[in-house]
Amino acid sequence: TAEEAYNFFTLNFELEPQDGTEKKSKKREKQKKTTEKDSDEEGGGVVEDEAAPLVRDEEEALFVIEQSSRDFLEVKKAEYVGYRKRIQQESELLFTPSFRTVPTTIKLPENMKPRYLEDEGLYVGERPPISLTNENILENRILKMEEVILTHMPHKIMVLPDPIKESSTRPPLFHMEEDLDPALHTVYRKSKYANLYIAGAADPEGDYQLDVDVSGLIFSHHPLFSREHVLGARLAQLYDQYLTRQHNNLTGHLTDKVNFIHGGESLTQAMQRRISEYSLEVRNTRQLRDSEQEKDRTLLKHIVKVWKELKALRDFQKFTNTPYKLSLRRENVDRTSDERDYEDEILAEVVELEAEIEEDYQKKFAEYKKQLQEWKLCRRKQKTKKKKRKKKKKGQAQDETEEEDEDQDPPEKPDFDSIEQRVREKASRIRRKPGESILIPELSASGNITASELCPRPETARREDVTRRSLFVKILYNDKEVSRTDSRSLNTDFRVHFGQIFNLKIINCPQSINLQVFEEIGSSCYLLAQVFVPVPEPSVVADRVSLEEFEFSSNQRVMFDHEGVGSDVPLSFEADGSNKQTLLTSGKLSCRVYWGSGEDDVALAPPVSQQHGGIHSGLSRLDAVTFIGASGLYDMKKIGEWATQSRLDPNDPKNASIMQLLKVATSGEVTAPEYFRLEQLQEEFNFVTDEELERSKRFRLLALRYQEVAEFRNYKCVPSLEREVTDKVFQEYEKRLKEGEIVDTKEHLDSHRALVAKYLQKIRESVINRFLLAKHHYILSDLVVEEEIPSIGILGLNLFKLAEPKRPLKPQRKARKKVTAQNLSDGDIKLLINIIRAFDIPIRRPQSNKPGQSSQSAIQGSDWLLSQVQVRPFVEVSFQRTVLQTTTADGPNPCWNEELQLPFSAPNGDYSAAVLQSVKDEVFINIFDEVVYETGDQDRAKSIHTRVEKHWLGSVKIPFSTIYSQSRIDGTFKVHTPAVLLGYSKERSYGTNGAYDTLRSLSEGAFITLFITIEPQLVPGESVREKFDSQEEERLLQASERFEREAAQVYPNRPCITTVIDLNGKTVFITRYIRPLNPPQELLDASPDNPQETTALVARFVALIPSLPDRVSFSGVCDLWSTCDQFLTLLAGDEEEHAVLLCNYFLSMGKKAWLIIGTAIPEGPTAYVLTLEQSRYLIWNPSSAQYYGQYDTFCPLQTIGCLVNADNVWFNIQEYTSPMTVSFDTTKANLWKPFFSRSFSHPGLSSVQVTSGQASEHCVIIEKILKEKIMEWRPRHPTRWNRYCTTTLKQFLPKLELSGGQDMAEGHRHELQSLLGDNNISGFPLHMPFSEIRPIIEAVYSTGVHNVQASNVEFALAVYVHPYPNNVLSVWVYLASLVRT
Amino acid sequence: MAELHIIGQIIGAGGFPQNSLFCKWGVHTGGAWRLLSGLKEGQTQVDIPQTGDMAYWSHPIDLHYATKGLQGWPKLHFQVWHQDSFGRCQLYGYGYCHVPSSPGHHRISCVTWRPLGSWQEQLAQMFVGGGPQLRSPDLIYSGADRYRLHTEAMGTVELELGIIMRHFDKYGVES
C-alpha cells in the first residue's frame, strides 16, 4: 500500500544516517542472520521486520559483544579410530590384490594355449622396465574384475613401448654449437647505421671487404723528362702500338679473310644466291684490310722517324739519357715469288672490281633493256594504230623517227683500264714494294746511360732533381683518405713500383674509389694527379680481375732552369723552333680493385640493391631435404655399416625406409637420386595443369600489365571473365616479339638501316626499363611535401602587388589550370592554333606560254601587279589526318588572325604523360594559294563554272611533342618553301613599307606568325632525376652541380648545362663532347677552293641526318647525348647531337666554333652552333643547315644560356639573352661566367660508305611506294602518270642536289615550259633527310597534290636519293600535276 | 585456376622493448602460386610514436595470386627492426603467419621472437646494441628443427587483411 511504501522510504532514509559506521551495520547484519535464522520465515512485512531487529541489535551490540562467542562454541576432543579397527573397516570395503604371480592357467580362458608373438615373427617392441610386483598386482586386479577376458594377452600384460625419449628434448646450452643445423646458426651483428635498404629478408649488414692493389705507375711525361726522354717515351709508345698491332695481326687476319671469302664464293652452287652478300663482304673486308695496311705502314714510318730524331739528339747533346735502342731487322724475301704474289693480289683485286662493275653494269643494262622492251611494245601498239590511220592519211613517218630519238641512251660501258691503274696506285701507297725486305723493328732497353760525371751541368742538375723526388699514392674511399702507400723515389726511367695491396673493410656503400698520386720533394708534397677507379661488380674477386692501367694527367705548369723540359711548356725539336708541342704531365697508374673473398670463396661484396622479384631459393631447398629426410643419403656405405652395427630391427616400422634403402643399395640397382623434388606431391593435388594456367589470357594480361610491358602499361580495365579477353589484345605484343628477330627490310630500304633501327629499339627498351625502375625509387621530397614558409620579402612584394594600379588596357595572360593526364579521355584535348599573319608569300607569275616572255613580264611587273591578283593564300592545318583551313586572304602579306581547333587523340586512348611525350605526330601548317579557274563554255555567258584549285606554297611542321613539352609556342617561323615553285616567284613587292622593308631584306623566304597551345593545359612529364654513376671526378661533379644551381638561382630562365648523360647512362662533362673531327673527305673535296661552300655543305650533311627527339625515342624526359660516332651509326639524334657534330666539324675546318645552349622556337631548349667568321658571328641551326647573322630578326634562337667549347663552359650573365643583344666576347668575365674544366679525348669515327648502286635502288623503291600511295589516296579518280615529265624531272633533281637547293627556278621553268608547252604545271620538289619511308609519305600527303580534281590531270613524280658518307641519304621528291589546257 | 586477393595493411607493432620500429615483410608461397600483380615484399617506414607502446605503420599490402593448388598457401613473414636514437638499426624480432584461408576481413596478430645469444652476446647487446640474427632468414617460415634455438619472445605485429577468393569452389574447396 501507499502508506507502507511511504514508511519504507522514510524509515530507510532516517535510519541510515543513524547507523554510525557502515562496518558496524554489516557486522550487525551478520549477527542478525546467525541468531535469527528461525525468524526468517515471518516473511510478510519486510519493512518492520528488518527495522525492528536492527534497532534491538543496536542496543544489544553496544553492551554484550564479548559474551556471545562463548555461548556458541563448544570444545571437543580429536576423534580417533584405532588402527586395527580401521583395517577391519577398510577390508570390508577395499580389495587388495596380491603380489604373487598369477598362474597362466587362470589368465587364459579354457582350452587356449598361450601365444608367443616374438616366436610368430611379429615385431614386439622393447618393454619398458616394470617391477615384477607391480605387474603381478596389476594382473591380479584385472583378474578380479571378472568382465575382462585376457584373450589377446598371451602370458604377460601387453605393454606399449617406452614413450619417454632417451635424450632430453632440450639439450643443454653447451651442446648447441657443435651439431647445430646450419640453418639455425645465428650471427651476432652489431647495431649499425644501415643506410642501404635491401629488399626482402636479406640482412642489411655484413663484413664487406674491398681490396685495392696498387701496383705501380709509369710516367708518359714528367716535367723532369729531358728532351731525350720525351722522344724515348714517344718511341716506346709507338713500339707498344706496333707490338699490339703485330699481336692482333689484323692485316694478316683480314687478308686471310679476303682470301677465304674469295675462295668460298666459288665453293658450292648452293651459295650462289648469297653471292651478292659475299661480294659485299669482300668489298668491306678489303677496304678494312687496306686501311689497316696503310696504318701499319705509317706506324713503321713513324717509328723510324722518331728513332732517327732520337739518334740525332743524342749526337747533338753528346750524352745518353735513355736506354732505348731500336734495331731494324731486315727479313729478306725471295724477290721473284714476292713479285708474283704482289701481282697476283693486284690481279685478283682488279678482277673482283671488274666483276663488281660488270655486275653493276649488267644490272643497269637489264633495266635498260626492260625499259626498251616496254617502250617497243608500246610503240608497236601505236604503230598498229597508226597503220590503220595510215591507210587514211599518209606521210606521217617523220613522227616515228622523232619519237625513237627521244628514248634514253643505253648505259655506258665501264672503263676497265683505269681500274687496274687505280689499284696499282693504291697498292704502291699502302703496301710494301715487291722484293723490298720486310723491316721488323726491335726496341731494346739495353743501351748505356752516360754516367752523370760525363754530362754537362744542366743535365746533372736535372738528374739530381730526379733523385730528390719521391712519389706515393693516397687511397680515398668515398672521399675519405683510408690509406697511403709508402713513398718510393723516382727512378731515372720514371717508373715507380709500389706493389701494395690494401684491404678495406667497408661499412658504407662504395660511391667512389679515388687514387691520388702525390709527389714529394724534400718535406713538401703536392698532388700530381687523381685517378678514379670504378667500383667493381659484386662478383669481381681477385682471380677474376687483372691489373688495369688508368691514365692520368695533370695540367700544372712546371718550368725548370735545367735540362728538364717541364710541363705545359711549349717545346720544339726542330732547329728553328717551329712545330712546337706542349706536353702535360701524364702517365699510367696500374692498379686493380676487387672484392675480398670470404671463407668459402664468396665475394665479400654487398648484394646488389633492388633485386626485383628475388626468390627465396633457400627455403625450397631446405624443405626438400627435410622431407626426404636423407641428409646422410650421400654415403650409402656408412648407412649400411651403421645399420648392421646398431642391429636395427628390420621389422620396426620406423626403420622401414632405411631397410628399404639398404636393400636397394646393396643390390646395387639404385644409387642416391641426384635431384630434389621441390614440390612433393604437388602433381596429385593440382587443380589444373601448368599448361592450362599458362593459357589463361586473363592472367597473362594481368601479369603483363603489372610488369609494365609497353603495350599494357596503362591498360585500365581487365575483364573479370576469361572469355571476355580477346586474342586481339595480344596480337600487337606478339607481333613485336616476333619482329625482334626478323629484320624488316621493307620499311627501312636496306639491311644496315634495319639493323640500326633494331639497335636503336634495343637501346630504347633498356633505357625505358631503366627509367621505369628509377621511377620506383623515391626520395624524401617525393613523398613529403613541405611548403616553404614565405619570407618577409615575398610577403611584402605580394602586399605591394595589391596596391598596384589596375591596367585594363594591358591584359595579361592568366595562368590556366593544369590538368593531370589521368582524367582525360578522347576528345577532351584540343590543339589551338592561332594563325596570325604571314610575310613574303611567293606571288603568282603571269602565265606565259613562251619562255621568252618572262623577261618582258618582269618589266611590266608593276603594271601587272595592279591589275592582277598576286596571290590568294590560305592556311591549312593538318594534324592526325584532321584538316582545317582558314579563310582566304589577299596578297603576299596576309593577315588571318584566326583560331583553329584540332582534336587530339592519343594512341590507345592513353593519356599518361609518358605516352603523350612519345606521340610522333606532327602538325603540318601548309600555305596554299587558292586559284579559281573558269571553265565551261566561254561562249555562252549564262553559266560559268569555276574550278577552285589549291596550290601548295610552303609549310611549317611542328612536332606535337614540342608543343606538349613547351605547353605553348608563340613566334614567327620561317616557312619551308620548296626550292622550285612552278608558276610562282619569290619577288618582293616593290612597295616601300618604310622600316619594315629593311628588316625583312636581311632574310630570305616567307614567314608565318603562329600561336599554338593545347587546351586544356597538360602537365608535362617530370624529368627523371636518378643519380647516374659517373667516371668524372667527384670534385668536378660537385662543382658543376654548384655552377648549375647558382645559374638557376640568379637566371632561372636560362638553360645551363654542364653535365649530360651519355647513351650508357653515365654522367659526362659536356666539354668532352667537343673535339675537332674531320668531316668526311668527300665533303671537303667537293669544292676545295671555296671554303664558304664547303661550310654550307658540311652543315647540310649534318642537317641531313634525321632528327629524332629523345623524349620521343625514350618516352621519358631525359636528354641523352650520344657521341658523334654513335650518332652517325644510329643516324638519328636530337638537336644537340646535330649541334655537337656540326661544331666538331667546324672546329676541324679551322673555324672558331662554340656550342650554344639556349632556347629556340619551336624546339624549346636546344643547342645551336656559333661560329666567328671575319669578325662576324654566325648562328647555325644544326638541324636545318640554316645560318643567321647575329642581328637577324627572324633567328629562331631566343635565349642564349651558355656557350661551350672544348675547354670551357661559359654561362651568360648579361642582362639580356636574345642573340641580338648579347656580346659573344667570352673573355669578359662580367658578361660570361666561365666554368673551368679539363678536356679529354674523343673516340674516332668509323664510316660506312654508301655506294651509288644502293642509292639508285632506293629511288626505285621510294618512287614505287609513293606512286602506289598517291593512287590509293585518289580512290575515285584515275591517276595517270606522265612519263615524259617524270624523266625530265628526274634529270633535274641531281642538279638541285648539287646546288644545295638554291634557287634555280628560272632556268628550270623555261626548260619545263619549252618541253611541255601546252600544259599547266604546278609542282615543287620536296627535300628531306632519309630515315624511314613513313615521314616521306606523310610529307607528300600533307602537300595535298593528290587532291586535284580536274579530270584531265596527270601527275609526275620523280625521286632522287643522293648518298652522303656514313650512309646519310638526302631524298628529293619532285611532285607535279599537269593539267592540259 | 583459382585466384586469391590479399588486400590489407600492416597496422603496426606493439609490445617490444622499444617503440621506434620498422618492419621488413614478405610473402612466401609455394610453387603452385603465381603472383599476378602487387609487391610481395617491402619495408615500412620507421615509426617513432610519441605516446604509447604501439608503433603504427599502416603499410598497405595488395596482392593478387593465381594458383593451381592449395599447397604452399601464402604466408607473411616479418622482421621487426628497431632504430635507436643514434640512427642505428638492430633486429627486434622474427615472425610469420599464414594468410587466412577464409574470405572476408581478418585481424591478425603475429607474435615475434628473436634468437638469444650466448651470455657474452647478451651482455654486449645490453650495452652496445646489436644482437644475434639468423644466418638464413628463410628459417622464419620453414620448419627446420627449431627446438635447438634459444629464443626470446618479443612483441606482436598487428595485421588487417581482407581476403577475396575466386573459383576455389570450382575445385572443391569450400570457402
Side-chain angles (χ1 to χ4, degrees), chain B residues 119-158:
Chain B
W119 66 268
Q120 293 102 324
E121 283 172 353
Q122 288 181 46
L123 199 69
Q125 188 175 2
M126 190 189 290
F127 290 110
V128 295
Q133 288 173 25
L134 289 180
R135 192 159 273 173
S136 61
D138 293 338
L139 189 73
I140 306 169
Y141 46 82
S142 67
D145 290 338
R146 243 195 267 185
Y147 61 82
R148 291 166 185 277
L149 209 57
H150 292 240
T151 61
E152 179 184 5
M154 298 305 272
T156 52
V157 177
E158 299 289 331

Side-chain angles (χ1 to χ4, degrees), chain A residues 51 71 79 99 221 344 429 546 556 570 604 668 704 943 1014 1018 1049 1073 1172 1226 1268 1270 1326:
Chain A
D71 291 342
E79 215 170 88
F99 43 83
H221 183 79
D344 279 355
R429 198 176 69 241
S546 53
Q556 265 168 331
L604 293 172
L704 285 172
S943 64
I1014 302 171
L1018 299 175
Q1049 261 173 11
Y1073 279 89
L1172 174 62
T1226 51
E1268 277 170 11
I1270 289 179
L1326 291 168

